[in-house]
Amino acid sequence: MTQTLSFSDIEPCMHVHSHNSGVFTHRSSGHQSWGTLQEKFFANQHYAFKEYRLDMQRQHRVQYDEALLPRCMSICLALQGAVQVEFKDSGFAASLNSLQHHSMYAHEREYDLIIDRAIHGIHVAVDLDYYINLLGDDDRWMAALREKLVKKEHVMQGDASVSKEMLVAIQTIGNNPLKGNLGKLLTEAKILELIALQIGQFTTETKK
């Protein structure tokens, strides 16, 4: 049976841990009645990157309310496990299985994640205006996507397979050999590479 849990109940369990790289913020919940959550977080003015591992005792529906979500394009990758998202107002829904990714935009803030016991995933929230400016007008698919986002229409692109190049970028982010400002620079470069690889993959697939 699926149990329902609000992220507002998970949040007080999260504790920040210091890390000598100076690049990521690390948080973990410790062992709770519902399971464990570990997060690695990096953000600048244009995007926020989060890698997370959520292990639960059984299938859960986790409820979220994020005020900034209508101002972001969401890039989601499932490295291991399955997850489904459902937006409350519109009923807009999407799902991912292991080694799949998609990008989506919904002009609403409340949604549920349905997690089948365990998920290791990545979420990149990109400022909507910044993302729109990354899209060129010379490609028909990008121009159409840009128009939808300007109008704040619901968008879901995917589900696509995570490419080898994406995995390499993710591994570099996770095993960054640099620290301090240089570590941040490399992390930002690889996050942008991940965004570019996804847009490039979708552009190529629409032309087939």
Side-chain angles (χ1 to χ4, degrees):
M1 176 181 288
T2 301
Q3 293 194 346
T4 300
L5 179 68
S6 172
F7 192 75
S8 62
D9 295 323
I10 297 177
E11 185 69 31
C13 303
M14 301 300 290
H15 300 285
V16 176
H17 301 277
S18 61
H19 197 273
N20 61 5
S21 71
V23 177
F24 285 97
T25 298
H26 295 255
R27 304 199 311 165
S28 64
S29 66
H31 293 281
Q32 304 296 326
S33 59
W34 43 264
T36 62
L37 173 61
Q38 298 177 44
E39 293 181 338
K40 184 168 65 175
F41 184 82
F42 173 85
N44 63 18
Q45 62 180 333
H46 299 305
Y47 46 81
F49 173 98
K50 179 171 66 178
E51 181 177 0
Y52 61 94
R53 295 175 184 266
L54 183 56
D55 293 295
M56 312 193 94
Q57 304 298 326
R58 55 184 60 85
Q59 188 181 76
H60 274 75
R61 175 183 290 268
V62 184
Q63 300 173 326
Y64 290 81
D65 184 349
E66 297 189 24
L68 295 179
L69 196 65
R71 294 163 50 187
C72 296
M73 185 71 167
S74 291
I75 296 172
C76 311
L77 301 94
L79 300 178
Q80 187 173 8
V83 62
Q84 182 178 349
V85 60
E86 294 179 358
F87 286 88
K88 290 191 174 182
D89 292 339
S90 64
F92 188 49
S95 60
L96 286 174
N97 293 312
S98 294
L99 294 179
Q100 288 186 328
H101 69 94
H102 62 218
S103 61
M104 62 189 309
Y105 174 77
H107 192 63
E108 49 191 297
R109 54 186 282 174
E110 293 186 56
Y111 65 96
D112 293 350
L113 288 185
I114 298 91
I115 300 160
D116 190 10
R117 293 183 181 270
I119 180 72
H120 176 200
I122 286 173
H123 180 260
V124 186
V126 187
D127 176 80
L128 189 62
D129 291 335
Y130 182 78
Y131 189 91
I132 288 171
N133 288 331
L134 294 176
L135 302 172
D137 293 323
D138 53 342
D139 179 87
R140 182 178 300 177
W141 174 81
M142 282 196 282
L145 176 59
R146 183 172 183 159
E147 183 177 356
K148 287 183 178 180
L149 293 176
V150 168
K151 294 179 179 178
K152 292 184 169 53
E153 297 178 3
H154 282 50
V155 167
M156 209 291 285
Q157 188 68 35
D159 305 317
S161 297
V162 176
S163 68
K164 292 180 180 179
E165 293 81 6
M166 287 180 173
L167 288 175
V168 170
I170 291 167
Q171 288 170 359
T172 303
I173 293 169
N175 301 296
N176 190 338
L178 304 175
K179 299 179 181 180
N181 288 338
L182 289 179
K184 291 178 182 178
L185 184 62
L186 180 59
T187 298
E188 289 175 340
K190 289 300 175 179
I191 294 172
L192 285 174
E193 181 181 352
L194 195 60
I195 297 169
L197 287 170
Q198 186 186 65
I199 294 173
Q201 184 177 359
F202 289 155
T203 302
T204 301
E205 290 181 354
T206 57
K207 294 178 179 179
K208 292 181 180 179

